[in-house]
Amino acid sequence: MKPRTLLLACTGAILLASCGEPGAVYQIPAKDMRQQLLGAKPPSILFGSHYTTTRSYKRGDGSIVWTVSENNKPLFRFIGETEAVDDKSTKIVLSIAGPTDDEDDPVAKNFEDHPQTAKLYLRAMEEAIDSKLTGRKFDMSKFQAEMMAAAMAEMPKIQGQIDEAVKASQEMDRMMQDADKAAADAKWEREIASQVVN
């Protein structure tokens, strides 16, 4: 599966939406921009209590890859394809992909099945990139709409997990009650047996 590519909508960038092309152009020479991009990282808020690390590197084709890992296990990648527009400006197109380039990569399939999550991750990384390249403070409000959309998309799954937890709790209560009843019955039988002996 080819990584899904979304429009990079960044403050301070010249958008190419009017041309029908994905990506954004920054008034930064390609070499300088690629070097700056190596220092961009996705915001930790995306990963909750999970401790993740991000490793970035340049490919020979001019693209930048950010690999997000947990416990040294790659989770997924952001890929920023860069192209010099002229001597003073560079275009970047951002996409998200699984940890491998395999066509049946399960993470890539998961992003395809959950486009709202993929869009949230992309939008947050876009903001990280834009704030890095324009030298401004990172602004979480830039992707609040995507956070809400992703949360709403996950509600059925969350509700299912809650229902399963309630069911498991009820089953545990039933087992405890059965155990208490069995213990009470055993005690009663011992008392009866002791009376018969006496």
Side-chain angles (χ1 to χ4, degrees):
M1 181 196 77
K2 292 183 179 179
R4 187 181 300 271
T5 302
L6 298 179
L7 181 66
L8 183 60
C10 301
T11 305
I14 301 173
L15 300 183
L16 302 179
S18 60
C19 302
E21 298 179 23
V25 174
Y26 287 86
Q27 301 303 304
I28 305 172
K31 183 178 179 180
D32 295 344
M33 180 174 169
R34 289 166 187 152
Q35 192 60 39
Q36 289 185 52
L37 286 172
L38 290 173
K41 293 186 182 298
S44 58
I45 190 173
L46 291 177
F47 314 112
S49 60
H50 295 268
Y51 177 74
T52 61
T53 57
T54 302
R55 183 175 69 91
S56 58
Y57 61 92
K58 288 187 284 188
R59 284 178 170 171
D61 61 1
S63 61
I64 307 297
V65 178
W66 297 266
T67 301
V68 178
S69 303
E70 182 179 17
N71 296 324
N72 294 319
K73 180 183 178 182
L75 301 177
F76 64 92
R77 296 170 296 165
F78 292 106
I79 301 171
E81 297 179 19
T82 64
E83 178 185 355
V85 176
D86 54 40
D87 291 344
K88 296 182 179 179
S89 58
T90 310
K91 177 183 176 181
I92 178 171
V93 177
L94 187 69
S95 61
I96 192 167
T100 73
D101 290 326
D102 295 344
E103 289 186 7
D104 59 348
D105 187 297
V107 177
K109 179 68 167 61
N110 191 52
F111 281 137
E112 188 177 74
D113 294 341
H114 299 85
Q116 297 297 342
T117 300
K119 188 174 181 180
L120 167 61
Y121 282 18
L122 275 170
R123 188 65 191 91
M125 189 59 179
E126 290 167 3
E127 170 57 18
I129 287 171
D130 189 68
S131 60
K132 180 74 176 178
L133 295 180
T134 59
R136 63 172 175 79
K137 186 177 179 181
F138 180 84
D139 186 356
M140 221 173 76
S141 69
K142 299 287 186 180
F143 54 92
Q144 280 186 345
E146 287 78 8
M147 287 181 72
M148 289 297 295
M152 291 300 291
E154 289 296 309
M155 280 306 292
K157 178 180 176 182
I158 294 170
Q159 185 60 54
Q161 291 172 341
I162 292 173
D163 292 344
E164 285 297 318
V166 169
K167 184 178 178 181
S169 178
Q170 291 172 341
E171 180 65 16
M172 182 63 73
D173 288 345
R174 186 188 66 76
M175 290 173 63
M176 293 286 287
Q177 290 171 1
D178 288 349
D180 289 344
K181 183 177 183 301
D185 289 347
K187 180 180 179 183
W188 179 80
E189 288 176 0
R190 286 195 301 272
E191 289 175 352
I192 294 297
S194 66
Q195 291 174 13
V196 170
V197 171
N198 293 334

